Amino acid sequence: MASPEQRARTARSLAVLDERLTHCRACPRLVAWREETARVKRRAYADWDYWGRPVPGFGPPDAALAIIGLAPAAHGANRTGRMFTGDRSGDVLYAALHAEGLASQPTSTHRGDGLELYGVRITAPVHCAPPANRPTPQERDTCRAWLTGELRLLRPTLRAAVVLGAFGWQAALPALAEAGWEIPRPRPVFGHGAHTVLPAAEGPDLHLFGCYHVSQQNTFTGRLTPAMLRAVLRDAARAAGLR
Ligand code: SF4
C-alpha cells in the first residue's frame, strides 16, 4: 500500500482523505494496540462494536477553526470512531464548544448522535489510539502526513487553530509549515493562552493558539477549568471570523 504521505497528498477532498485514512496500517505497534483494545473492550462497553481503526477529523470541510489534540483515546474515539467522542475529555471539550456557539449540542456520545460543529474541525496529529496515550516520535512523524494533508485541504478557509497540549504543538508546527504557513524563528513556544500569527506565503495568515489539553489529568486537578478553555475558544473563534 502507498505511504501515508502519498495517500494524503493525492487526496483531492477531505472526504477522500478521511476515507483513505481509515485504512492506514503504517504503524505496526498502533495497529496492534487499537485492534487488541477493540477486541478485548472495557467491561462497561462490552456490547459495543468498537471502531478499532484510525479516527478521521470531525467537522465541516470548510472550517475556519481547527482544534488539534493528541490522539484518540482507547475506549473513547477508538470505540466510537469520532474525535473526542465517548470519553471525559470530550465531555469537557464539547460542552465548551456548545457554550461558545460552536457546536449544536453539549454532548458527544456516538456517531449519529446528531452533533454538528459550526465552522470547526477537530483533528489530531496521531490518528490511532496509542498505549498509555503516548505515541513514539516515529509514529508521530509518520502520521503527520495525514495532518498536513488535512490542513492543506482546509487552507482556503482556515484562519485559526487551537492546539491542545505541548505534544500537539510540537507535532502541529511542522505540519502547518508543510501546509503553507511560515513558522517564525525562534519557534513559538507552547503555553496556555499562547497566541501567535503564522504568515502565509500566499493567502491569509493563521492565528495559532495554545491551550492545555482537556485530559482528565488537567481538568480534574483544575489546571484547566471550563472558563479557561472557553476563553481560548472564544479568542480563536473571533480570530477565525466565526463571531
Ligand atoms: Fe496510520 Fe497514523 Fe494510525 Fe500510524 S497513527 S497507522 S500513520 S493513521
Side-chain angles (χ1 to χ4, degrees):
M1 184 182 273
S3 68
E5 201 278 331
Q6 288 167 304
R7 306 272 297 157
R9 183 168 38 79
T10 56
R12 292 284 166 257
S13 71
L14 269 182
V16 170
L17 183 134
D18 289 348
E19 206 282 327
R20 289 182 179 180
L21 166 75
T22 60
H23 300 288
C24 184
R25 303 181 68 82
C27 305
R29 187 185 77 120
L30 298 190
V31 170
W33 174 255
R34 76 189 192 207
E35 293 179 358
E36 171 75 359
T37 305
R39 191 180 61 75
V40 174
K41 306 182 183 181
R42 178 177 281 171
R43 187 178 299 175
Y45 305 123
D47 58 347
W48 270 77
D49 185 12
Y50 272 52
W51 177 256
R53 287 185 274 152
V55 180
F58 172 52
D62 58 351
L65 171 61
I67 297 177
I68 302 172
L70 194 168
H75 301 282
N78 188 54
R79 171 172 58 91
T80 61
R82 196 169 70 190
M83 284 288 170
F84 284 104
T85 295
D87 60 29
R88 302 299 287 269
S89 301
D91 292 346
V92 173
L93 179 59
Y94 287 109
L97 286 167
H98 180 255
E100 292 302 321
L102 300 169
S104 62
Q105 58 193 46
T107 57
S108 177
T109 56
H110 61 283
R111 286 178 305 129
D113 62 4
L115 174 63
E116 281 181 70
L117 298 181
Y118 303 137
V120 177
R121 172 105 176 163
I122 301 180
T123 189
V126 174
H127 286 273
C128 293
N133 289 323
R134 284 206 193 93
T136 65
Q138 187 184 351
E139 291 159 353
R140 176 199 64 199
D141 292 348
T142 302
C143 205
R144 187 169 72 237
W146 292 114
L147 180 60
T148 300
E150 187 174 11
L151 291 168
R152 211 177 263 143
L153 289 165
L154 286 168
R155 223 190 113 167
T157 55
L158 197 67
R159 301 293 177 266
V162 174
V163 182
L164 303 174
F167 179 95
W169 187 267
Q170 295 303 332
L173 289 181
L176 288 162
E178 289 163 11
W181 288 279
E182 289 173 29
I183 307 301
R185 298 275 165 193
R187 283 157 66 106
V189 176
F190 174 77
H192 182 81
H195 175 207
T196 188
V197 178
L198 307 183
E202 279 176 43
D205 301 340
L206 185 85
H207 289 262
L208 181 66
F209 294 82
C211 180
Y212 289 145
H213 195 277
V214 287
S215 66
Q216 289 187 52
Q217 202 180 350
N218 286 337
T219 56
F220 278 19
T221 58
R223 186 167 193 241
L224 177 67
T225 65
M228 289 166 67
L229 175 59
R230 285 183 59 179
V232 175
L233 292 176
R234 198 176 308 134
D235 288 347
R238 201 172 288 129
L242 291 173
R243 54 177 59 214

